[in-house]
Amino acid sequence: MKHVLSILDFSKEDAARILLRADRMKAERHRGSVLNGKNVVLIFEKASTRTRVSFEVGIRQLGGQSLLMTPAESQLGRSEPLKDTARVLSRYADGLVVRTFGQDVLETLVEYGTIPVINALTDKYHPCQVMSDMLTMYERTPKLEDVRVAWIGDGNNMAHSFINAAARFPFSLILACPAGYRPDPEILEKARSEGAKIELTDDPQQAATGAHYINTDVWASMGQEAEQKQREAAFAGYLVDAKLMALAQPDCKFLHCLPAHRGEEVSEEVFEGAASVVFDQAENRLHMQKAIMEWVFAE
């Protein structure tokens, strides 16, 4: 049985095959049957637009059915232990797609359940998004070994998944994060031990210089709203604007997982400019998640 809790659940060979498969699925406007007769439960403890719609549409396009569970409509977060939920849902469904807070939630569902689990986002990782971003980059620069990717901002779940991606794909990664908001050193060290080419700095200009892709994310993610003012102070100088983009390669593209706070982590000019490929990224969630689900469910 296959699970996708992070990008490291793919071997380098698997990651490359999934990337190529997603590219073909997009070109072919793929409709398939790998989920025929299967029911996939979406457990969403965090609100969503792109993740929910792309997974639900993708499940249908692969022949399956989906069912959404939120804390308001189920025993999630109430008195029933999560391990019991895992065992009950394993009797009803064929797979789980989970968008939640703690990575431990996924680990419990895997430990006590008997069906595949796919991470649709946790506070630690966002693998489906970053695999989709790999597709967005591959479409423009298929020689990933020549690509320099800059991450500007919080060392969050997106940064962690880009670090993991650097251990599976041959691009080089530089992260600019302020003190106190750097990525988990264990995640960084593990990726480096597997050959990832990663630099870490607190200087956004250093990270942007010579980059082919510049990535960022909101400074305060869901669940961190109370830290907004504190984070605004810590991330002063981390705005991705035209001046920062000018330090990158002439054809550098801007990436953002959305939703974006224009004027905070990215300027309106950059977000709406010719370098922005954010809506291609959003579309690619559908194609990549179909490729991931095919990898999980194909016998």
Side-chain angles (χ1 to χ4, degrees):
M1 185 188 308
K2 297 173 182 173
H3 304 285
V4 182
L5 305 194
S6 81
I7 290 174
L8 297 185
D9 286 322
F10 308 129
S11 66
K12 288 183 179 181
E13 294 74 21
D14 286 334
R17 281 194 291 268
I18 291 167
L19 177 61
L20 294 176
R21 180 59 175 152
D23 188 50
R24 288 197 302 275
M25 284 179 158
K26 182 175 182 179
E28 297 167 359
R29 300 179 64 84
H30 180 80
R31 303 294 187 273
S33 58
V34 72
L35 291 180
N36 274 3
K38 289 184 167 59
N39 293 284
V40 180
V41 174
L42 278 60
I43 300 177
F44 277 36
E45 295 189 281
K46 288 190 175 188
S48 169
T49 298
R50 282 153 294 277
T51 300
R52 177 182 174 180
V53 175
S54 59
F55 263 113
E56 290 213 35
V57 171
I59 289 165
R60 285 169 173 76
Q61 290 183 358
L62 294 178
Q65 299 289 325
S66 63
L67 173 68
L68 179 69
M69 288 180 60
T70 69
E73 301 158 342
S74 68
Q75 291 295 332
L76 294 171
R78 299 182 190 175
S79 58
E80 184 172 47
L82 185 62
K83 62 184 180 180
D84 292 359
T85 299
R87 288 177 284 198
V88 168
L89 292 181
S90 293
R91 305 291 182 102
Y92 297 153
D94 301 286
L96 303 176
V97 173
V98 186
R99 182 176 173 92
T100 187
F101 293 90
Q103 189 75 8
D104 60 314
V105 170
L106 302 182
E107 293 165 357
T108 298
L109 291 170
V110 168
E111 180 180 358
Y112 289 95
T114 56
I115 55 177
V117 176
I118 297 174
N119 181 356
L121 175 140
T122 66
D123 289 345
K124 191 171 185 179
Y125 297 121
H126 200 355
C128 293
Q129 175 68 60
V130 172
M131 285 294 290
S132 303
D133 297 346
M134 295 306 305
L135 174 59
T136 306
M137 294 190 290
Y138 175 80
E139 291 173 318
R140 292 159 177 79
T141 47
K143 284 192 171 182
L144 292 173
E145 62 271 20
D146 298 333
V147 169
R148 177 178 174 87
V149 176
W151 176 264
I152 311 291
D154 193 12
N156 61 8
N157 52 1
M158 282 291 296
H160 289 160
S161 287
F162 261 105
I163 290 168
N164 286 346
R168 293 294 180 263
F169 297 98
F171 67 94
S172 62
L173 175 65
I174 181 166
L175 303 107
C177 308
Y181 298 92
R182 291 176 179 167
D184 185 323
E186 291 185 9
I187 294 172
L188 186 61
E189 183 54 38
K190 180 170 176 54
R192 283 172 167 163
S193 73
E194 297 191 23
K197 296 172 288 186
I198 303 175
E199 303 170 61
L200 185 61
T201 181
D202 59 3
D203 184 352
Q205 294 185 345
Q206 179 185 346
T209 299
H212 299 92
Y213 296 92
I214 292 180
N215 292 260
T216 191
D217 193 3
V218 296
W219 293 342
S221 298
M222 281 180 284
Q224 299 171 335
E225 291 82 2
E227 304 173 26
Q228 180 68 32
K229 294 300 182 183
Q230 173 187 336
R231 285 172 171 266
E232 286 177 5
F235 287 95
Y238 281 75
L239 171 72
V240 178
D241 57 12
K243 290 181 180 179
L244 197 69
M245 293 292 293
L247 298 173
Q249 295 288 340
D251 58 350
C252 178
K253 301 301 182 187
F254 172 74
L255 302 173
H256 195 301
C257 61
L258 303 181
H261 294 167
R262 295 164 170 86
E264 188 172 298
E265 76 273 4
V266 58
S267 69
E268 177 79 11
E269 179 183 10
V270 169
F271 187 89
E272 295 290 354
S276 176
V277 293
V278 298
F279 296 107
D280 291 337
Q281 281 179 272
E283 177 189 344
N284 284 341
R285 293 292 303 278
L286 172 63
H287 310 300
M288 176 53 71
Q289 286 159 190
K290 284 160 62 177
I292 289 171
M293 286 189 289
E294 184 180 75
W295 179 82
V296 168
F297 289 100
E299 296 180 357

